[in-house]
Amino acid sequence: MAFSIPDGTTIHLGTTFGTPVAVTSISNAATAVATASGHGFANGDIIVLKTGWQRANERVFRVAAAASGTFELEGLDTSDTSAFPVGTSGGTAMKVTAFTQVSQIIGISTSGGEQQFATVSPLESDFEIQIPTMYSAQSISMEIGDDPTLAGYQALKKAADARAIRPLMMQNKNGSKIYYYGYVSLNETPTKNKGQVDTVNSSFSLLSRPTRYAA
């Protein structure tokens, strides 16, 4: 059993990117291996993957076992061919070359991401059943101490003004990381309460599931 507290957590927004590299295929394996000629990635690189596989599409992964023409997508298990059909995995991988820290975050909250169900009531049964369908849309909300001169604030504003899709990294004090990918928004009007610091709110609307690494 283990517990954690949020003290020491930092948030980083992806701000610069490499040229997308064509991925010709991804293997069906406990750790997926991508084939991409001349990819140029190194172990530990963070990439955004676009692929025909819905469960891996628009997600952020860490590169491992990089070799000539191939690299592993650390943490991606594609062995289930019903979820990852053979022959439909082609796409692109784009390296995140820099993250900018969003400082002065007062609090982080999340909403959505719950499993949704279709309720079925068979004629012969007196008991309804629920069948899993999809997960609800998920978003992350950040309350930030207002200071428009900070690099993180400016990065959020630039992404929000462009309605851009960006990777977001949450780094915990113990070194574990969570990566997200989605649309950025920023409410530049500060909230003001007597005796408290001015804050603004930024939200991050996810396009896909997060990816977690223990270290």
Side-chain angles (χ1 to χ4, degrees):
M1 182 180 295
F3 298 92
S4 60
I5 58 174
D7 302 34
T9 299
T10 56
I11 295 292
H12 308 256
L13 183 72
T15 47
T16 61
F17 310 91
T19 302
V21 173
V23 174
T24 53
S25 66
I26 303 174
S27 68
N28 291 95
T31 299
V33 177
T35 298
S37 177
H39 57 76
F41 300 144
N43 293 344
D45 284 350
I46 302 301
I47 59 103
V48 176
L49 180 68
K50 295 181 184 291
T51 171
W53 283 340
Q54 178 271 324
R55 289 195 183 183
N57 188 41
E58 308 270 28
R59 290 182 65 186
V60 182
F61 294 101
R62 189 163 62 192
V63 171
S68 177
T70 64
F71 59 91
E72 288 185 358
L73 295 161
E74 186 178 351
L76 178 61
D77 182 347
T78 57
S79 56
D80 182 355
T81 55
S82 62
F84 302 95
V86 177
T88 60
S89 60
T92 62
M94 179 179 66
K95 180 180 176 180
V96 184
T97 55
F99 284 90
T100 299
Q101 182 177 347
V102 181
S103 54
Q104 298 193 175
I105 294 178
I106 308 299
I108 302 169
S109 60
T110 182
S111 62
E114 298 90 1
Q115 176 70 62
Q116 303 296 290
F117 299 89
T119 301
V120 181
S121 180
L123 290 175
E124 70 276 10
S125 176
D126 62 356
F127 188 82
E128 290 184 335
I129 59 175
Q130 289 187 316
I131 301 172
T133 55
M134 65 186 68
Y135 292 93
S136 63
Q138 185 177 4
S139 64
I140 297 170
S141 180
M142 298 179 291
E143 185 183 11
I144 305 167
D146 184 34
D147 184 349
T149 68
L150 295 175
Y153 184 107
Q154 294 172 8
L156 289 171
K157 175 174 168 50
K158 182 177 180 180
D161 288 348
R163 297 185 177 180
I165 307 170
R166 292 286 184 264
L168 190 76
M169 176 180 69
M170 179 185 295
Q171 181 167 316
N172 300 306
K173 187 176 182 179
N174 63 3
S176 64
K177 298 179 178 67
I178 309 175
Y179 291 93
Y180 307 90
Y181 194 60
Y183 286 100
V184 180
S185 66
L186 176 67
N187 184 345
E188 297 181 70
T189 301
T191 297
K192 294 176 175 285
N193 290 292
K194 188 172 183 179
Q196 299 181 25
V197 299
D198 292 352
T199 60
V200 293
N201 186 270
S202 177
S203 62
F204 198 76
S205 303
L206 274 61
L207 294 181
S208 55
R209 299 180 182 187
T211 306
R212 302 189 68 158
Y213 295 110

Short mmCIF file of all heavy atoms in Angstrom, two decimals, residues 27-70:
data_model
loop_
_atom_site.label_atom_id
_atom_site.label_comp_id
_atom_site.label_asym_id
_atom_site.label_seq_id
_atom_site.Cartn_x
_atom_site.Cartn_y
_atom_site.Cartn_z
N SER A 27 4.12 -3.39 -34.60
CA SER A 27 3.91 -4.81 -34.33
C SER A 27 2.82 -5.04 -33.30
O SER A 27 2.49 -4.16 -32.50
CB SER A 27 5.22 -5.44 -33.82
OG SER A 27 5.53 -4.93 -32.52
N ASN A 28 2.25 -6.23 -33.35
CA ASN A 28 1.33 -6.68 -32.29
C ASN A 28 2.16 -7.44 -31.27
O ASN A 28 2.56 -8.58 -31.51
CB ASN A 28 0.23 -7.58 -32.88
CG ASN A 28 -0.73 -6.80 -33.75
OD1 ASN A 28 -0.58 -6.76 -34.97
ND2 ASN A 28 -1.73 -6.19 -33.14
N ALA A 29 2.42 -6.79 -30.13
CA ALA A 29 3.31 -7.39 -29.14
C ALA A 29 3.03 -6.76 -27.78
O ALA A 29 2.39 -5.71 -27.67
CB ALA A 29 4.77 -7.18 -29.53
N ALA A 30 3.55 -7.40 -26.72
CA ALA A 30 3.39 -6.87 -25.37
C ALA A 30 4.00 -5.49 -25.24
O ALA A 30 3.51 -4.65 -24.49
CB ALA A 30 4.00 -7.83 -24.36
N THR A 31 5.10 -5.26 -25.96
CA THR A 31 5.65 -3.91 -26.13
C THR A 31 5.74 -3.67 -27.63
O THR A 31 6.51 -4.33 -28.33
CB THR A 31 7.03 -3.76 -25.48
OG1 THR A 31 6.93 -4.01 -24.08
CG2 THR A 31 7.56 -2.36 -25.70
N ALA A 32 4.93 -2.73 -28.11
CA ALA A 32 4.84 -2.49 -29.55
C ALA A 32 6.14 -1.96 -30.13
O ALA A 32 6.81 -1.12 -29.51
CB ALA A 32 3.71 -1.51 -29.84
N VAL A 33 6.50 -2.45 -31.31
CA VAL A 33 7.69 -1.99 -32.03
C VAL A 33 7.25 -1.32 -33.32
O VAL A 33 6.55 -1.93 -34.14
CB VAL A 33 8.65 -3.15 -32.35
CG1 VAL A 33 9.85 -2.65 -33.15
CG2 VAL A 33 9.12 -3.83 -31.06
N ALA A 34 7.64 -0.05 -33.48
CA ALA A 34 7.29 0.70 -34.68
C ALA A 34 8.42 0.61 -35.71
O ALA A 34 9.60 0.66 -35.36
CB ALA A 34 7.04 2.16 -34.33
N THR A 35 8.04 0.46 -36.97
CA THR A 35 9.00 0.47 -38.07
C THR A 35 8.91 1.82 -38.77
O THR A 35 7.84 2.22 -39.25
CB THR A 35 8.70 -0.66 -39.07
OG1 THR A 35 8.82 -1.92 -38.41
CG2 THR A 35 9.67 -0.61 -40.24
N ALA A 36 10.04 2.55 -38.79
CA ALA A 36 10.07 3.89 -39.38
C ALA A 36 11.48 4.15 -39.90
O ALA A 36 12.41 4.34 -39.12
CB ALA A 36 9.68 4.94 -38.36
N SER A 37 11.63 4.15 -41.20
CA SER A 37 12.94 4.32 -41.82
C SER A 37 13.52 5.70 -41.48
O SER A 37 12.85 6.73 -41.63
CB SER A 37 12.82 4.15 -43.34
OG SER A 37 14.05 4.37 -43.96
N GLY A 38 14.79 5.71 -41.01
CA GLY A 38 15.48 6.97 -40.73
C GLY A 38 14.81 7.83 -39.70
O GLY A 38 14.83 9.06 -39.81
N HIS A 39 14.22 7.21 -38.68
CA HIS A 39 13.43 7.97 -37.70
C HIS A 39 14.28 8.95 -36.87
O HIS A 39 13.80 10.02 -36.48
CB HIS A 39 12.68 7.03 -36.77
CG HIS A 39 13.53 6.05 -36.02
ND1 HIS A 39 14.29 6.41 -34.94
CD2 HIS A 39 13.74 4.71 -36.20
CE1 HIS A 39 14.93 5.35 -34.47
NE2 HIS A 39 14.61 4.30 -35.22
N GLY A 40 15.51 8.60 -36.55
CA GLY A 40 16.38 9.50 -35.81
C GLY A 40 16.07 9.64 -34.34
O GLY A 40 16.64 10.51 -33.66
N PHE A 41 15.18 8.81 -33.80
CA PHE A 41 14.83 8.90 -32.39
C PHE A 41 15.87 8.19 -31.52
O PHE A 41 16.52 7.24 -31.97
CB PHE A 41 13.45 8.30 -32.12
CG PHE A 41 12.33 8.96 -32.87
CD1 PHE A 41 11.26 8.21 -33.36
CD2 PHE A 41 12.33 10.32 -33.10
CE1 PHE A 41 10.22 8.81 -34.05
CE2 PHE A 41 11.29 10.95 -33.79
CZ PHE A 41 10.24 10.18 -34.27
N ALA A 42 15.98 8.63 -30.29
CA ALA A 42 16.87 8.01 -29.32
C ALA A 42 16.06 7.56 -28.10
O ALA A 42 14.95 8.06 -27.86
CB ALA A 42 17.96 9.00 -28.88
N ASN A 43 16.60 6.63 -27.35
CA ASN A 43 15.93 6.16 -26.14
C ASN A 43 15.61 7.34 -25.22
O ASN A 43 16.46 8.21 -24.98
CB ASN A 43 16.80 5.16 -25.39
CG ASN A 43 16.99 3.87 -26.15
OD1 ASN A 43 16.26 3.57 -27.11
ND2 ASN A 43 17.98 3.08 -25.75
N GLY A 44 14.39 7.36 -24.73
CA GLY A 44 13.97 8.43 -23.84
C GLY A 44 13.26 9.58 -24.53
O GLY A 44 12.66 10.43 -23.86
N ASP A 45 13.33 9.65 -25.86
CA ASP A 45 12.61 10.69 -26.58
C ASP A 45 11.11 10.55 -26.35
O ASP A 45 10.59 9.44 -26.23
CB ASP A 45 12.90 10.63 -28.08
CG ASP A 45 14.26 11.18 -28.46
OD1 ASP A 45 14.90 11.79 -27.59
OD2 ASP A 45 14.68 11.00 -29.63
N ILE A 46 10.43 11.68 -26.33
CA ILE A 46 8.97 11.70 -26.19
C ILE A 46 8.37 12.01 -27.56
O ILE A 46 8.76 13.00 -28.21
CB ILE A 46 8.53 12.75 -25.16
CG1 ILE A 46 9.17 12.46 -23.80
CG2 ILE A 46 7.01 12.78 -25.05
CD1 ILE A 46 8.84 11.10 -23.22
N ILE A 47 7.44 11.17 -27.99
CA ILE A 47 6.86 11.35 -29.32
C ILE A 47 5.32 11.36 -29.23
O ILE A 47 4.73 10.77 -28.32
CB ILE A 47 7.34 10.27 -30.31
CG1 ILE A 47 6.97 8.85 -29.82
CG2 ILE A 47 8.84 10.37 -30.54
CD1 ILE A 47 5.78 8.25 -30.53
N VAL A 48 4.72 12.04 -30.19
CA VAL A 48 3.27 11.99 -30.37
C VAL A 48 2.99 11.04 -31.52
O VAL A 48 3.52 11.20 -32.62
CB VAL A 48 2.69 13.38 -30.69
CG1 VAL A 48 1.19 13.28 -30.97
CG2 VAL A 48 2.96 14.35 -29.55
N LEU A 49 2.17 10.02 -31.26
CA LEU A 49 1.88 9.00 -32.26
C LEU A 49 0.52 9.23 -32.89
O LEU A 49 -0.48 9.46 -32.19
CB LEU A 49 1.91 7.61 -31.61
CG LEU A 49 1.62 6.42 -32.53
CD1 LEU A 49 2.74 6.25 -33.55
CD2 LEU A 49 1.42 5.15 -31.72
N LYS A 50 0.48 9.17 -34.21
CA LYS A 50 -0.78 9.15 -34.96
C LYS A 50 -0.79 7.85 -35.73
O LYS A 50 0.16 7.53 -36.45
CB LYS A 50 -0.89 10.35 -35.89
CG LYS A 50 -0.97 11.69 -35.15
CD LYS A 50 -1.12 12.85 -36.12
CE LYS A 50 -1.11 14.19 -35.40
NZ LYS A 50 -2.31 14.39 -34.59
N THR A 51 -1.87 7.09 -35.60
CA THR A 51 -1.94 5.75 -36.17
C THR A 51 -3.38 5.38 -36.46
O THR A 51 -4.31 5.97 -35.90
CB THR A 51 -1.31 4.72 -35.20
OG1 THR A 51 -1.58 3.39 -35.67
CG2 THR A 51 -1.86 4.85 -33.80
N GLY A 52 -3.56 4.37 -37.31
CA GLY A 52 -4.89 3.87 -37.58
C GLY A 52 -5.50 3.12 -36.40
O GLY A 52 -6.70 2.85 -36.40
N TRP A 53 -4.68 2.79 -35.41
CA TRP A 53 -5.20 2.12 -34.21
C TRP A 53 -5.77 3.16 -33.26
O TRP A 53 -5.04 3.95 -32.67
CB TRP A 53 -4.08 1.36 -33.52
CG TRP A 53 -3.72 0.07 -34.17
CD1 TRP A 53 -4.48 -0.67 -35.03
CD2 TRP A 53 -2.50 -0.67 -34.00
NE1 TRP A 53 -3.82 -1.81 -35.42
CE2 TRP A 53 -2.60 -1.84 -34.79
CE3 TRP A 53 -1.35 -0.45 -33.25
CZ2 TRP A 53 -1.59 -2.80 -34.85
CZ3 TRP A 53 -0.34 -1.40 -33.31
CH2 TRP A 53 -0.45 -2.56 -34.09
N GLN A 54 -7.08 3.15 -33.09
CA GLN A 54 -7.76 4.17 -32.29
C GLN A 54 -7.22 4.23 -30.87
O GLN A 54 -7.04 5.32 -30.30
CB GLN A 54 -9.27 3.88 -32.29
CG GLN A 54 -10.10 4.85 -31.45
CD GLN A 54 -10.23 4.41 -30.01
OE1 GLN A 54 -10.34 3.21 -29.72
NE2 GLN A 54 -10.24 5.35 -29.09
N ARG A 55 -6.91 3.09 -30.27
CA ARG A 55 -6.48 3.09 -28.86
C ARG A 55 -5.06 3.62 -28.67
O ARG A 55 -4.64 3.89 -27.55
CB ARG A 55 -6.58 1.68 -28.27
CG ARG A 55 -8.02 1.23 -28.06
CD ARG A 55 -8.08 0.02 -27.17
NE ARG A 55 -9.43 -0.48 -27.01
CZ ARG A 55 -9.76 -1.51 -26.24
NH1 ARG A 55 -8.82 -2.15 -25.56
NH2 ARG A 55 -11.01 -1.91 -26.14
N ALA A 56 -4.33 3.76 -29.76
CA ALA A 56 -2.97 4.32 -29.68
C ALA A 56 -2.87 5.67 -30.37
O ALA A 56 -1.86 6.36 -30.22
CB ALA A 56 -1.97 3.35 -30.30
N ASN A 57 -3.91 6.07 -31.09
CA ASN A 57 -3.87 7.29 -31.88
C ASN A 57 -3.91 8.53 -30.99
O ASN A 57 -4.58 8.55 -29.96
CB ASN A 57 -5.06 7.32 -32.84
CG ASN A 57 -4.99 8.46 -33.81
OD1 ASN A 57 -3.93 8.79 -34.35
ND2 ASN A 57 -6.13 9.12 -34.06
N GLU A 58 -3.19 9.58 -31.42
CA GLU A 58 -3.16 10.86 -30.70
C GLU A 58 -2.73 10.68 -29.25
O GLU A 58 -3.26 11.32 -28.35
CB GLU A 58 -4.54 11.53 -30.74
CG GLU A 58 -5.13 11.68 -32.12
CD GLU A 58 -4.77 12.97 -32.80
OE1 GLU A 58 -3.69 13.52 -32.50
OE2 GLU A 58 -5.55 13.43 -33.64
N ARG A 59 -1.74 9.81 -29.03
CA ARG A 59 -1.22 9.59 -27.69
C ARG A 59 0.28 9.89 -27.64
O ARG A 59 0.95 9.92 -28.67
CB ARG A 59 -1.48 8.17 -27.21
CG ARG A 59 -2.95 7.87 -26.94
CD ARG A 59 -3.16 6.45 -26.43
NE ARG A 59 -2.54 6.23 -25.13
CZ ARG A 59 -2.48 5.05 -24.53
NH1 ARG A 59 -3.00 3.98 -25.12
NH2 ARG A 59 -1.91 4.92 -23.34
N VAL A 60 0.77 10.12 -26.44
CA VAL A 60 2.18 10.44 -26.22
C VAL A 60 2.88 9.23 -25.62
O VAL A 60 2.39 8.64 -24.64
CB VAL A 60 2.33 11.65 -25.29
CG1 VAL A 60 3.80 12.02 -25.10
CG2 VAL A 60 1.54 12.86 -25.83
N PHE A 61 4.03 8.85 -26.21
CA PHE A 61 4.78 7.69 -25.74
C PHE A 61 6.26 8.04 -25.61
O PHE A 61 6.74 9.01 -26.21
CB PHE A 61 4.63 6.51 -26.70
CG PHE A 61 3.24 5.95 -26.76
CD1 PHE A 61 2.40 6.28 -27.82
CD2 PHE A 61 2.77 5.11 -25.76
CE1 PHE A 61 1.11 5.77 -27.88
CE2 PHE A 61 1.48 4.60 -25.81
CZ PHE A 61 0.64 4.93 -26.87
N ARG A 62 6.97 7.20 -24.87
CA ARG A 62 8.42 7.33 -24.73
C ARG A 62 9.09 6.27 -25.58
O ARG A 62 8.67 5.11 -25.61
CB ARG A 62 8.80 7.17 -23.25
CG ARG A 62 10.26 7.50 -22.95
CD ARG A 62 10.47 7.73 -21.46
NE ARG A 62 10.16 6.55 -20.65
CZ ARG A 62 10.04 6.58 -19.33
NH1 ARG A 62 10.16 7.72 -18.67
NH2 ARG A 62 9.78 5.47 -18.66
N VAL A 63 10.15 6.67 -26.27
CA VAL A 63 10.89 5.77 -27.14
C VAL A 63 11.84 4.91 -26.32
O VAL A 63 12.50 5.39 -25.39
CB VAL A 63 11.69 6.57 -28.19
CG1 VAL A 63 12.66 5.67 -28.97
CG2 VAL A 63 10.75 7.30 -29.14
N ALA A 64 11.90 3.61 -26.65
CA ALA A 64 12.85 2.68 -26.03
C ALA A 64 13.42 1.78 -27.12
O ALA A 64 12.85 1.66 -28.21
CB ALA A 64 12.17 1.85 -24.94
N ALA A 65 14.54 1.15 -26.82
CA ALA A 65 15.18 0.19 -27.72
C ALA A 65 15.26 0.73 -29.15
O ALA A 65 14.98 0.03 -30.13
CB ALA A 65 14.43 -1.14 -27.70
N ALA A 66 15.68 1.99 -29.27
CA ALA A 66 15.80 2.59 -30.61
C ALA A 66 16.91 1.91 -31.40
O ALA A 66 18.00 1.68 -30.89
CB ALA A 66 16.09 4.08 -30.48
N ALA A 67 16.60 1.56 -32.64
CA ALA A 67 17.57 0.91 -33.52
C ALA A 67 17.37 1.48 -34.93
O ALA A 67 16.48 2.30 -35.17
CB ALA A 67 17.37 -0.60 -33.51
N SER A 68 18.20 1.04 -35.85
CA SER A 68 18.09 1.51 -37.22
C SER A 68 16.76 1.05 -37.82
O SER A 68 16.55 -0.14 -38.03
CB SER A 68 19.25 0.99 -38.05
OG SER A 68 19.11 1.38 -39.40
N GLY A 69 15.86 1.98 -38.04
CA GLY A 69 14.59 1.66 -38.69
C GLY A 69 13.48 1.21 -37.76
O GLY A 69 12.35 1.03 -38.22
N THR A 70 13.77 1.02 -36.47
CA THR A 70 12.72 0.59 -35.55
C THR A 70 12.90 1.25 -34.18
O THR A 70 13.99 1.71 -33.83
CB THR A 70 12.71 -0.94 -35.33
OG1 THR A 70 13.93 -1.33 -34.72
CG2 THR A 70 12.49 -1.68 -36.64
#
